[in-house]
Amino acid sequence: MSPTIQSNTIFLTPEEDARLRKNFKDRLQKCRELSGQRRVPSDPQSLRSQVIYADLMSDMQPGPKAQNGGAGSIVAYAVGTPYPPCTVLLQDLKPMGMHELRMDTHHRGRVLTVSRWGATPVVKLKICSWTVVQEVGEGGEGGGEVDRLEVGLFKDVHGVDILESGEVFKVLEPWFTVGEQGEPTIRIDHRSDLVCIDCTPSTADKIGQFKNTRIEVTKIAREYKEVGNAALKQRNLPLAYLKYTRGLEILGAAKEDIAYDLFRNRAHVNLLLDRLDGGKSDALAALTGLPDQKHRELDGKAYLRAGIAAYQSGDFQEAKHLFEEQQRLLPGEKEATTKIRKTEQRLKEQENGCYDFKKLKASLLLPSSSRHGTRVDAASFTRNVEIKSSPGKGRGLFTTRGLEVGEVIMAEKSFCIVWANEEEALTSMTYDFRDDKIRVFPAGLCKSVVRRLIDNPSQVSKFLDLYSDYRGTESKGQSKRDGDWGKAIDVFQVHDVVARNAFGPDPRSASAGLWILASYINHSCLPNSEKEYVGDLMLLRATRSIAAGEEILHAYDLSSDYDVRVEALMRTWGFSCDCKVCVADKADSEEVRSKRRELESEADALIENRESSRRAVMKARRLMREIEGTFDEERYRGLPRMAVTRVQKWVSEAVKR
């Protein structure tokens, strides 16, 4: 039987729960028993048969592919055994062979070179991909031993499975372990630990040996540009980026037109890939500063691309400056005028928090917004808040001035969001070895966050400064090693940050997002704020008067059932609430809580019937009185009685009708 999915809730039977736990624990125990043992060479033909059969079965699955299951299955994987990514420069790693691999061992300081073996396919599952690889000698010769290579959840590079992005790979500090299918495998969790070696020959590559003259170097760079342009035309963005990069590497620090062209073109690709850091830096590197009309037009285009990168990063002041530079070079350019006007509007929102909500909501219905889903073009407004130490809670968010009921405390654009109807959406179950708990987890959001951090290193520090159980071993999670796809990011730390800080903007769906500043707001069952959303813009409003310097609080869980609320807070956020409501609820006997629960369920059923007759109202009022009777008057004096709130609201509205 597969887990049942209703809305954004996954129901497991006791048998399914026990089976999941047993499978993960058995695999961990197997790893520990085999730890340190020498790898047993694999039979090549047996591996070939396994990968072909697995690929065939994967292709035959109806609907979305699921790990170890068919349609209707939900993916599940284990967490809680983190390890850091390789942070050593590639040239400082010592080569090794497959015969040196030991089970359940991270081979620190070593690198293994492999190539995809023969025509073996890549088996692509939701939570991992795997194929068969062959060891490659230091001289590039094949013919070595073969084994499985498995890449975990973070296996895609801009829509391309990393195992299909090339033929030859460097496995940095290899980890040999028991994989997702229970077989010995070379396992990759951190995407930066697998480096694809560009071995696909292009026209430029075939030139091979050339005279070390400027003419020959320029000729090769131009051919790389042409290959990149062809890839861009075919929307093969990773390949286009790679070819432009190779052309720039050949040119070195040369300042000539072909270099400026490559920087400008790569800036365009970076923007299409949402690599905003690289888009801005490449666009600025493409500026020639030459006075003739041709170069003024090219520099205007470069300023435009740099401005777009700054705008999409939320740096509106810099974006305005860059668009103004474009306008200075090209006074008649209407696009620059439009961009400046939009940027000035964002700066006003940033300054005073005044939004045209009617226009923002209407923009979500436009076809032009389909690429970015329900993401609004707006700035964050955060002048009213600051991060400070919160006694007993770590850090919290506090007001910088007094606020009245209904006033906007802050408005924040999402750092990253994945809506339930988007291709990136993926809800999973995770089993955590650290506390023996199974949780629902927004795996699609986590994948998107990792991609954004790798592509935009300027965002890493503020994200990894958020609370997480696993803090990683690197300062701010970054590595000194750069590659074609950015910094080395500790994906286990990212997982824990997402697990503790992500929000679901729509509780009826599997949509999930993360808002950096809002993540600092602590919980209380007696909140002074409430959230609402316009697309991915989170609005936080005051529900009562808030004094300057007071901590902002909101309810992480709104369940009126004390037992459900306590379990949810501990399971998802790892703490127990000791607010006045929880203290009062805790003092109730199990008999009282059970009676209240039954009465509330009866009231909910009445509301769901959508009947507003006089008889229904009378019954609702009776239930209200009975629910009220379960609360101790003295203990609950001045406290909200959450179990009766919904039926009270229904009666009030029914009477008006």
Side-chain angles (χ1 to χ4, degrees):
M1 181 183 290
S2 296
T4 304
I5 308 173
Q6 294 182 11
S7 183
N8 193 29
T9 304
I10 300 173
F11 297 95
L12 287 176
T13 66
E15 293 77 15
E16 290 166 342
D17 183 281
R19 177 175 55 81
L20 273 178
R21 293 175 191 276
K22 183 178 185 303
N23 287 345
F24 291 128
K25 288 180 179 179
D26 286 351
R27 196 173 79 200
L28 181 63
Q29 183 61 33
K30 182 178 179 181
C31 285
R32 288 173 175 169
E33 291 173 354
L34 297 174
S35 181
Q37 294 186 19
R38 287 187 178 278
R39 164 185 167 273
V40 177
S42 299
D43 176 57
Q45 296 309 316
S46 175
L47 281 176
R48 183 189 294 275
S49 298
Q50 289 176 34
V51 72
I52 292 174
Y53 177 76
D55 183 57
L56 177 64
M57 295 303 294
S58 176
D59 288 340
M60 291 174 63
Q61 293 288 2
K65 299 176 186 177
Q67 176 66 22
N68 297 330
S73 296
I74 189 78
V75 295
Y77 57 94
V79 298
T81 55
Y83 66 91
C86 174
T87 59
V88 181
L89 296 173
L90 180 58
Q91 61 265 31
D92 294 335
L93 296 172
K94 181 181 177 182
M96 70 177 301
M98 283 190 183
H99 68 280
E100 298 178 78
L101 293 172
R102 292 181 178 272
M103 179 57 67
D104 200 36
T105 300
H106 297 278
H107 299 80
R108 296 298 180 190
R110 308 297 298 276
V111 59
L112 175 66
T113 305
V114 298
S115 63
R116 285 176 57 189
W117 183 50
T120 51
V122 174
V123 181
K124 290 177 279 190
L125 303 170
K126 283 290 185 182
I127 62 170
C128 71
S129 292
W130 70 277
T131 189
V132 180
V133 294
Q134 184 174 48
E135 179 185 341
V136 175
E138 291 186 52
E141 70 280 359
E145 295 185 43
V146 300
D147 219 319
R148 295 166 62 109
L149 175 64
E150 179 179 285
V151 182
L153 185 66
F154 308 97
K155 57 192 178 66
D156 302 312
V157 179
H158 298 289
V160 179
D161 193 290
I162 193 169
L163 291 176
E164 292 185 328
S165 64
E167 295 295 327
V168 181
F169 301 91
K170 298 279 188 182
V171 182
L172 312 184
E173 299 188 331
W175 182 31
F176 192 61
T177 187
V178 177
E180 295 291 346
Q181 283 78 42
E183 299 290 339
T185 185
I186 303 165
R187 169 78 180 191
I188 304 291
D189 285 298
H190 304 289
R191 197 173 78 187
S192 55
D193 286 350
L194 187 67
V195 178
C196 177
I197 306 302
D198 180 28
C199 293
T200 306
S202 66
T203 303
D205 297 319
K206 289 178 181 177
I207 293 176
Q209 301 298 321
F210 58 85
K211 296 178 181 178
N212 191 19
T213 66
R214 203 67 238 167
I215 294 176
E216 291 290 347
V217 168
T218 300
K219 179 181 178 183
I220 293 172
R222 290 189 186 283
E223 294 194 21
Y224 269 121
K225 175 189 169 184
E226 291 171 6
V227 175
N229 289 348
L232 176 59
K233 188 175 182 180
Q234 296 171 0
R235 304 297 293 180
N236 188 341
L237 302 181
L239 181 60
Y241 176 89
L242 183 64
K243 296 307 176 183
Y244 294 146
T245 300
R246 294 293 181 257
L248 287 167
E249 288 173 348
I250 283 179
L251 289 169
K255 294 184 180 296
E256 50 186 289
D257 280 356
I258 180 60
Y260 296 126
D261 289 347
L262 287 166
F263 273 121
R264 191 168 49 252
N265 290 5
R266 194 172 71 172
H268 179 54
V269 172
N270 274 324
L271 291 178
L272 294 175
L273 291 171
D274 290 324
R275 304 179 75 185
L276 305 179
D277 286 5
K280 185 172 72 173
S281 62
D282 278 351
L284 294 176
L287 294 171
T288 68
L290 297 174
D292 60 280
Q293 185 60 28
K294 173 187 173 182
H295 285 95
R296 287 172 69 89
E297 290 178 0
L298 292 175
D299 283 358
K301 185 183 291 187
Y303 274 123
L304 171 65
R305 291 174 181 174
I308 291 172
Y311 185 96
Q312 293 179 0
S313 297
D315 192 345
F316 300 112
Q317 196 64 57
E318 183 179 16
K320 182 185 177 187
H321 165 71
L322 293 167
F323 293 140
E324 287 173 342
E325 286 299 301
Q326 179 197 12
Q327 190 178 58
R328 178 182 61 81
L329 290 176
L330 306 170
E333 181 59 56
K334 293 182 179 180
E335 186 173 14
T337 303
T338 302
K339 295 287 187 186
I340 291 171
R341 188 182 304 119
K342 283 180 61 177
T343 306
E344 288 174 341
Q345 182 59 41
R346 300 292 84 77
L347 288 168
K348 289 179 182 178
E349 293 167 352
Q350 206 171 58
E351 178 67 22
N352 56 36
C354 293
Y355 296 88
D356 186 341
F357 290 115
K358 185 177 180 180
K359 186 175 180 181
L360 287 177
K361 291 175 181 178
S363 72
L364 299 175
L365 305 176
L366 297 174
S368 59
S369 68
S370 60
R371 178 178 178 267
H372 292 291
T374 46
R375 295 161 176 79
V376 296
D377 186 5
S380 295
F381 168 66
T382 61
R383 292 190 63 192
N384 292 337
V385 298
E386 62 180 342
I387 301 167
K388 292 167 57 178
S389 176
S390 176
K393 297 180 180 180
R395 293 168 296 176
L397 206 61
F398 293 77
T399 60
T400 58
R401 68 176 184 86
L403 297 162
E404 298 302 320
V405 177
E407 194 170 352
V408 173
I409 301 171
M410 61 174 252
E412 185 179 13
K413 280 276 290 177
S414 65
F415 175 80
C416 188
I417 191 167
V418 174
W419 297 98
N421 61 343
E422 293 180 327
E423 185 179 349
E424 295 86 354
L426 175 63
T427 300
S428 69
M429 289 186 298
T430 59
Y431 171 72
D432 198 325
F433 287 113
R434 294 170 291 191
D435 59 10
D436 193 34
K437 290 187 182 297
I438 294 176
R439 296 179 173 88
V440 178
F441 180 69
L445 174 64
C446 193
K447 291 176 67 174
S448 294
V449 168
V450 167
R451 184 183 67 194
R452 179 170 184 185
L453 295 178
I454 290 175
D455 290 347
N456 299 282
S458 66
Q459 306 295 309
V460 172
S461 179
K462 67 179 181 181
F463 175 84
L464 292 183
D465 197 41
L466 296 176
Y467 175 80
S468 68
D469 299 280
Y470 169 67
R471 295 302 301 169
T473 57
E474 284 283 300
S475 174
K476 301 302 182 186
Q478 293 194 63
S479 161
K480 61 186 177 182
R481 181 171 57 80
D482 287 298
D484 285 337
W485 301 106
K487 294 282 186 183
I489 299 296
D490 192 324
V491 300
F492 297 108
Q493 185 176 356
V494 174
H495 172 278
D496 279 11
V497 170
V498 170
R500 295 303 195 196
N501 296 281
F503 290 96
D506 182 356
R508 299 164 298 178
S509 77
S511 302
L514 193 142
W515 289 259
I516 296 289
L517 205 55
S519 295
Y520 288 95
I521 304 173
N522 285 314
H523 163 83
S524 175
C525 300
L526 293 168
N528 55 18
S529 66
E530 62 182 4
K531 304 189 298 289
E532 60 182 274
Y533 298 89
V534 180
D536 69 325
L537 182 70
M538 176 193 287
L539 295 170
L540 197 70
R541 293 186 184 273
T543 55
R544 62 168 175 80
S545 294
I546 305 175
E550 186 177 346
E551 183 171 8
I552 299 163
L553 302 166
H554 74 79
Y556 290 6
D557 189 280
L558 295 171
S559 175
S560 59
D561 189 315
Y562 171 74
D563 297 310
V564 171
R565 191 168 71 247
V566 166
E567 199 277 333
L569 291 174
M570 179 55 68
R571 182 186 69 248
T572 307
W573 293 283
F575 68 86
S576 297
C577 181
D578 59 357
C579 71
K580 292 179 180 179
V581 173
C582 286
V583 170
D585 283 348
K586 186 177 182 180
D588 288 329
S589 67
E590 179 55 40
E591 181 182 359
V592 169
R593 289 205 293 266
S594 179
K595 181 181 179 181
R596 185 184 300 151
R597 195 178 297 126
E598 291 175 6
L599 290 169
E600 188 180 5
S601 295
E602 190 177 346
D604 287 342
L606 178 67
I607 294 169
E608 295 300 327
N609 284 337
R610 300 178 183 277
E611 182 186 350
S612 57
S613 64
R614 182 178 179 184
R615 182 179 177 182
V617 171
M618 289 177 63
K619 182 178 180 180
R621 282 174 169 162
R622 175 182 62 78
L623 288 169
M624 280 172 54
R625 290 192 297 270
E626 291 184 22
I627 295 172
E628 287 278 9
T630 66
F631 293 96
D632 182 277
E633 283 298 326
E634 184 62 32
R635 193 160 9 100
Y636 283 91
R637 190 179 305 279
L639 297 177
R641 304 177 185 191
M642 293 186 285
V644 80
T645 302
R646 188 183 183 204
V647 68
Q648 279 180 334
K649 183 179 179 182
W650 182 85
V651 168
S652 177
E653 293 175 351
V655 169
K656 291 177 183 178
R657 290 194 292 267

